[in-house]
C-alpha cells in the first residue's frame, strides 16, 4: 500500500495538487498551486499541453510532492451526469452494457465517449445509479499533460463524487447533506447521503476574479439594486423552480451549454511566446468589497441553487436536506452564506481544505483563498478515490 496519496486538478487559472499521508487519520503533508498562462486550459480541458506540463513540473518541485501516481479530478459542463437504471445486477455486465443502453443519450458518438456508472441503490426495478460520460479526446489530453510531467493517472474521478464522499464525514450520520463547491468557472451542487450521491448538478458560472483596489480619487461602483441584500430579503422557500432541468425524465442534470469543437483549439507544440500567468489571489476579499460582476455571478448562482433545491425536493424519493456546506471562491462571504441558508433551510457552513483533512505544520500557513480552492482537491482523496 502506498505511503501517500496525491490528487491533482487542472483548472483554467492553475494546476493544483495535494498529498496526504495514508492511514485512518490522514494529514496534508504537501500542497501547492501554480498559475497557468492564459489559453493553456479551459474548463478542465487542455488547450496547450506543453504549458500545462511545465506548470505541473514546477508544482511538483515547488510543493515537494513525492509521489507521481495521482488521482486526476475532472468536472466541467461537458461531462454529462444523468440518472440511469439497469435491469442488470453484475457490475461487470453493467459496464459492458452501458454503450448499448445509453448511446441515444450521449452528446457524442458512443465510440468517442468514456463511460462510467456509479450505483446508488437497488430495488425490484433493478440497479439505480448515475451515468457519467466524458469526451474521450478531452480525457486523453488531460492524461497526456500528466505524461508530459512524468506523472501517472492511477485513476480519474469526478470532483462532484469527491464532494459526495466528503459529506459522509460532514453531515450527521444517516442524514442527507448538500455540498456547494464554487469554482471560478464551474460550480458543483451535490446532494448525498452516507457518501452516496443522490443528485449532482454542474453549473457553468464565471465568477470574475477580484479587481485591484481603486486608485486614490476613484470610487468602486455601487452594488446593483437587485444585489445580495435584495435577493436574500426576497428568498422564499418551496417556490417553483427558477430554472427547469434540461434532462429528460427528471434526473441529475448539468445545466451546461455545449460548445462546438471550434471553440476548443489545441495548441500542442506551440513555439510562440508564452503569456505570463496572472498571480493567484492569496486572501479572500473583505465582505464589502464585492465587485458588481462578482455580485451578479453570485446572484445567478443563488438563483440556480434555488431551482436545483426545488427540483430535488419535488422528487418522490427526496430525503430532507439536513446540512449544507460551501467551499471554494467566496465561500465564506457572509451574505452568500445567508442566501444559501435561506434557500436550503439549513445552516450553511463554509469549508476549506483544512476542515476536511488536518494540515501538517509545513502546510498550515497556506493562504486562506488557496485553502478554500484546495478543498475540492482534498475531497478527491476522501473515502477511497475511484
Amino acid at each position: 500500500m502506498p505511503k501517500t496519496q496525491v490528487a491533482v486538478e487542472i483548472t483554467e487559472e492553475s494546476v493544483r495538487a495535494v498529498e496526504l499521508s495514508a492511514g485512518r487519520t490522514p494529514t496534508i503533508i504537501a500542497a501547492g498551486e501554480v498559475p497557468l498562462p492564459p489559453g493553456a486550459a479551459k474548463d478542465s480541458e487542455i488547450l496547450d499541453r506543453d504549458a500545462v506540463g511545465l506548470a505541473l513540473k514546477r508544482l511538483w518541485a515547488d510543493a515537494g510532492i513525492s509521489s507521481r501516481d495521482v488521482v486526476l479530478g475532472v468536472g466541467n459542463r461537458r461531462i454529462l451526469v444523468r440518472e440511469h437504471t439497469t435491469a442488470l445486477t453484475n457490475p461487470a455486465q453493467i459496464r459492458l452494457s452501458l454503450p448499448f443502453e445509453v448511446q441515444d443519450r450521449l452528446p457524442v458518438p458512443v465510440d468517442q465517449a468514456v463511460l462510467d456508472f456509479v450505483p446508488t441503490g437497488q430495488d425490484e426495478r433493478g440497479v439505480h445509479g448515475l451515468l457519467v460520460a466524458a469526451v474521450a479526446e478531452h480525457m486523453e489530453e488531460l492524461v497526456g499533460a500528466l505524461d508530459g510531467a512524468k506523472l501517472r493517472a492511477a485513476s480519474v474521478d469526478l470532483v462532484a463524487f469527491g464532494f459526495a464522499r466528503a459529506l459522509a464525514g460532514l453531515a450527521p450520520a444517516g442524514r442527507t447533506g448538500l455540498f456547494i463547491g464554487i469554482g471560478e468557472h464551474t460550480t458543483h451542487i451535490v446532494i448525498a447521503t452516507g457518501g452516496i450521491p443522490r443528485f449532482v448538478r454542474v453549473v457553468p458560472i464565471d465568477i470574475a476574479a477580484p479587481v485591484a483596489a481603486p486608485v486614490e480619487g476613484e470610487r468602486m461602483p455601487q452594488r446593483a439594486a437587485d444585489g445580495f441584500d435584495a435577493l436574500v430579503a426576497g428568498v422564499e422557500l418551496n417556490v417553483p423552480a427558477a430554472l427547469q432541468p434540461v434532462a429528460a425524465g427528471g434526473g441529475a442534470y448539468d445545466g451546461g451549454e455545449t460548445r462546438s469543437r471550434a471553440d476548443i483549439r489545441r495548441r500542442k507544440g506551440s513555439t510562440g511566446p508564452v503569456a505570463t500567468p496572472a498571480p493567484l489571489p492569496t486572501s479572500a476579499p473583505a465582505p464589502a468589497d464585492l465587485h458588481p460582476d462578482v455580485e451578479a455571478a453570485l446572484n445567478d448562482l443563488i438563483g440556480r441553487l434555488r431551482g436545483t433545491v426545488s427540483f430535488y425536493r419535488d422528487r418522490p424519493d427526496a430525503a430532507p436536506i439536513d446540512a449544507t456546506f460551501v467551499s471554494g471562491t467566496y465561500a465564506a462571504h457572509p451574505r452568500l452564506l445567508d442566501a444559501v441558508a435561506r434557500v436550503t433551510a439549513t445552516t450553511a457552513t463554509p469549508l476549506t481544505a483544512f476542515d476536511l483533512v488536518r494540515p501538517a505544520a509545513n502546510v498550515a500557513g497556506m493562504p486562506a483563498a488557496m485553502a478554500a480552492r484546495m478543498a475540492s482537491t482534498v475531497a478527491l482523496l476522501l473515502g477511497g478515490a475511484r
Side-chain angles (χ1 to χ4, degrees):
M1 180 177 179
K3 295 181 179 180
T4 66
Q5 290 182 304
V6 178
V8 62
E9 286 187 88
I10 301 173
T11 74
E12 185 165 333
E13 282 77 20
S14 69
V15 292
R16 56 178 176 251
V18 61
E19 184 170 22
L20 306 186
S21 62
R24 290 188 175 182
T25 56
T27 301
I28 302 175
I29 59 174
E33 185 173 32
V34 170
L36 287 172
K42 184 174 181 61
D43 205 18
S44 288
E45 295 175 9
I46 303 299
L47 305 182
D48 188 336
R49 184 186 292 188
D50 292 340
V52 174
L54 287 173
L56 287 168
K57 289 179 180 178
R58 177 185 161 192
L59 172 58
W60 250 245
D62 291 353
I65 299 173
S66 61
S67 176
R68 293 193 169 272
D69 290 331
V70 306
V71 175
L72 174 62
V74 297
N76 61 53
R77 69 196 74 184
R78 289 171 64 85
I79 295 179
L80 179 146
V81 183
R82 296 286 190 271
E83 288 186 339
H84 178 65
T85 297
T86 176
L88 300 173
T89 58
N90 181 281
Q93 292 180 343
I94 291 175
R95 293 181 186 278
L96 288 174
S97 70
L98 277 181
F100 308 100
E101 293 188 358
V102 306
Q103 56 186 334
D104 295 336
R105 303 170 61 187
L106 302 179
V108 297
V110 69
D111 61 350
Q112 299 177 20
V114 177
L115 304 178
D116 195 10
F117 178 74
V118 179
T120 59
Q122 185 174 350
D123 58 22
E124 66 280 358
R125 293 181 297 159
V127 176
H128 307 283
L130 294 178
L131 164 70
V132 182
V135 178
E137 182 183 13
H138 299 160
M139 295 298 103
E140 291 168 359
E141 287 293 328
L142 286 166
V143 173
L146 295 179
D147 290 340
K150 297 183 179 180
L151 305 176
R152 187 179 75 88
S155 64
V156 179
D157 196 8
L158 197 65
V159 170
F161 292 160
F163 289 143
R165 294 191 298 271
L167 283 170
L170 294 169
R175 301 296 184 88
T176 297
L178 185 149
F179 202 118
I180 307 170
I182 305 174
E184 292 87 350
H185 305 282
T186 303
T187 292
H188 295 83
I189 302 174
V190 181
I191 301 173
T193 306
I196 304 299
R198 286 179 169 269
F199 192 91
V200 172
R201 186 182 182 192
V202 181
V203 181
I205 293 181
D206 292 322
I207 300 179
V211 296
V215 297
E216 186 175 355
E218 290 185 350
R219 297 180 60 190
M220 284 291 291
Q222 297 296 312
R223 284 202 305 270
D226 61 345
F228 265 5
D229 296 328
L231 178 69
V232 172
V235 166
E236 297 286 341
L237 299 178
N238 301 318
V239 297
L243 299 175
Q244 295 300 318
V246 298
Y253 61 106
D254 59 11
E257 300 84 7
T258 300
R259 294 179 292 149
S260 68
R261 287 184 178 270
D263 295 330
I264 307 298
R265 296 182 179 179
R266 299 189 308 282
R267 296 179 295 137
K268 292 184 289 186
S270 174
T271 57
V274 177
T276 303
L280 296 164
T282 59
S283 61
D289 289 346
L290 280 182
H291 187 274
D293 290 344
V294 174
E295 184 109 4
L298 296 179
N299 275 336
D300 188 8
L301 174 58
I302 291 299
R304 299 197 192 200
L305 174 65
R306 182 190 299 148
T308 299
V309 170
S310 180
F311 176 74
Y312 167 76
R313 285 176 171 156
D314 285 342
R315 294 155 53 106
D317 60 344
I321 298 171
D322 298 299
T324 301
F325 303 91
V326 189
S327 74
T329 310
Y330 297 99
H333 197 286
R335 285 189 289 132
L336 172 66
L337 292 173
D338 188 25
V340 170
R342 289 173 182 252
V343 169
T344 62
T346 66
T347 300
T349 303
L351 298 175
T352 72
F354 299 162
D355 296 305
L356 299 177
V357 176
R358 66 180 182 179
N362 62 305
V363 180
M366 179 189 299
M370 180 178 168
R373 293 191 294 270
M374 199 70 70
S376 59
T377 319
V378 170
L380 290 164
L381 298 176
L382 298 178
R386 286 176 53 80

